[in-house]
Each structure stands twice: as C-alpha cells, then as structure tokens.
Amino acid sequence: MKLKIILYAAIMLFGISANSYAQESPYKNEDFVLNKVSVTHDAGLGISIWEIRVDGIAGKTTPHKAGQLDGAPVLGYVFPTSLKPIDVGFNATEGIVALALTSHPDFDDTPLWDENSDNLFDNDGVEWHPHWVILHEDKRVKGGLSVKQYKKEDSTVVLPPTNPGMPMYMDSPGYPVISKNNSIKVVVPDYRINNQIDFNYDGVTAFLKVNTSKPDLPMLGVYEIFNVASGDLSLPYKVK
C-alpha cells in the first residue's frame, strides 16, 4: 500500500514536471525516447536480461563534464521495480527499488570495477554502468524524486558490500551493461536479487544532478523526466 502511495505521488509530480517547468537539461533527444522495456528470465543460465529500447541510439548521448562533483550531471536509463530493498541487499526501508544504468563523466562511483579495461578503477564514470538505488518522493527537485539518503550514524542502515561509500541507498553491483544500436541491456544473476523472478517494473529515462553544497537539496535528485514507458509509472510490466 505504501509503495502505491509513493508511486501515485511520483506520478503527480511527473505530471507537474512535464507540464509546468522548462526543460532542465540539453540532453532530451531520441536517445531517451522509450519504445520498449523488457525483463526476460533465462532459467538455464540463472540470469535475467533487462533491456530498454529507444527511438535513437541507446547510450550514445552522455553528459557534458561539469569539472567538479557539485552540480555534476547524470543521465539514466532506469527500471523502477516492485522488488523489496532486502532483495538487493539493503535493509527494509520505504521507497522504490530501481536499477539505474547511468553515465556521469565527473566522478567514478564504481571503485571495484574497471569498466573501460584500462587497469584504472577511478576514471570510467562516463561508461554506462548499473546502480541499485532506493528512490523516494522529493518535492525539492523538479523530477519529484531523489535517491534516498541516510545519516552516517544510523546503525540500522544496511548496504551491500559493493556500495560506493556514499550516504545514500545506492549500490554499484558491477553487472555487465551492453549498448548497441537502439538497445541498452544489463545482465542480472538471479542470486543477486534474492532469486526473485516474479516482479513488476517500468522504464524511465531521466536527467539527475549531484549536490554537495546546498543542504536544502538532495545529494542526487531527479531534475528532468524524459520519458516513462507506461506513461504513468504504474509498473505494469512483468518478467517474461
């Protein structure tokens, strides 16, 4: 019930964002216009393949470098889901579990992974890579959502061991991401999602920004929604 309330609030805010605000970023183009979203389970391999298809070239558009962490732009192909936080390694908490495929050239938040295979682990934030995040309603930003934060002294918070060390419900799981033509895919092993293969999901493309200087804004907020696969964030799609 609480998830439905969060989603309803987000839908209302998406409507406000789409109709009441000027375009926030210069990145809205065909590369983020969704035409299909799917999650397909392969029982033989024990994996699921998550895919977003767009009208343009998936992953071609990446953010322009800001030169610093504060205000750093982030682009995302996002799968909001009905999964529970505990399914992906977090403690039980309110919010929407989402798998976000992101690109951000100003920082690297996958310290365990070398996505561009150059033997350096801190220089490949621009490469498309996955994050598990908990999204919650946030009226302080135009997109109406932000990644849920927590206080460092909160002993109840549990994060997966692959988290990037930021005070947010975020993980850097290191799943392979493949973008080709109009498709971007990520491969998720069953055991990394508590063997859940019966859940609902949606597809979203969005522009986010990092904030490290303004205490009245979230650390990572959604500032512009480009497209929602279902049109209303109702999570109507099920795993095939």
Side-chain angles (χ1 to χ4, degrees):
M1 181 64 182
K2 288 183 179 179
L3 177 59
K4 290 183 178 179
I5 293 172
I6 292 170
L7 289 171
Y8 180 78
I11 291 165
M12 295 300 101
L13 285 163
F14 283 153
I16 292 171
S17 298
N19 297 320
S20 302
Y21 294 106
Q23 185 172 314
E24 175 69 25
S25 80
Y27 303 107
K28 188 174 184 179
N29 60 44
E30 288 188 342
D31 297 346
F32 298 104
V33 177
L34 297 168
N35 63 43
K36 185 178 180 181
V37 58
S38 65
V39 177
T40 305
H41 183 247
D42 186 321
L45 294 177
I47 61 169
S48 55
I49 301 168
W50 305 46
E51 180 180 18
I52 282 176
R53 293 189 181 184
V54 296
D55 287 350
I57 304 300
K60 178 182 178 182
T61 299
T62 57
H64 307 309
K65 199 167 186 177
Q68 60 184 27
L69 182 60
D70 190 29
V74 178
L75 288 171
Y77 297 93
V78 186
F79 298 85
T81 77
S82 63
L83 290 168
K84 297 177 181 178
I86 58 173
D87 291 330
V88 296
F90 299 118
N91 60 287
T93 187
E94 295 298 327
I96 304 166
V97 175
L99 182 58
L101 312 182
T102 67
S103 171
H104 41 75
D106 288 288
F107 63 102
D108 188 316
D109 52 7
T110 60
L112 296 177
W113 320 112
D114 177 20
E115 289 90 346
N116 61 6
S117 302
D118 65 352
N119 295 317
L120 299 174
F121 289 78
D122 60 356
N123 68 342
D124 38 26
V126 71
E127 304 291 339
W128 290 95
H129 58 277
H131 290 292
W132 286 113
V133 294
I134 304 295
L135 298 173
H136 69 156
E137 179 188 357
D138 197 327
K139 296 180 180 179
R140 298 173 296 173
V141 289
K142 294 178 182 179
L145 294 166
S146 68
V147 178
K148 190 172 185 178
Q149 295 173 233
Y150 62 86
K151 295 181 179 179
K152 291 184 178 181
E153 62 270 20
D154 187 347
S155 61
T156 67
V157 173
V158 175
L159 303 178
T162 47
N163 78 85
M166 305 169 80
M168 295 183 287
Y169 280 94
M170 175 185 288
D171 183 34
S172 302
Y175 310 143
V177 175
I178 304 97
S179 57
K180 184 177 181 181
N181 299 326
N182 71 332
S183 168
I184 187 165
K185 299 177 182 178
V186 58
V187 178
V188 180
D190 290 353
Y191 76 95
R192 298 286 296 274
I193 52 174
N194 199 23
N195 295 303
Q196 299 297 318
I197 58 172
D198 184 17
F199 56 88
N200 287 62
Y201 62 91
D202 213 325
V204 174
T205 51
F207 169 70
L208 304 87
K209 279 195 299 188
V210 177
N211 164 57
T212 60
S213 63
K214 299 176 182 177
D216 58 333
L217 291 176
M219 179 172 289
L220 184 55
V222 178
Y223 284 80
E224 186 175 0
I225 303 296
F226 298 139
N227 213 198
V228 181
S230 66
D232 59 5
L233 200 64
S234 55
L235 310 188
Y237 309 112
K238 296 188 71 68
V239 179
K240 298 178 182 177

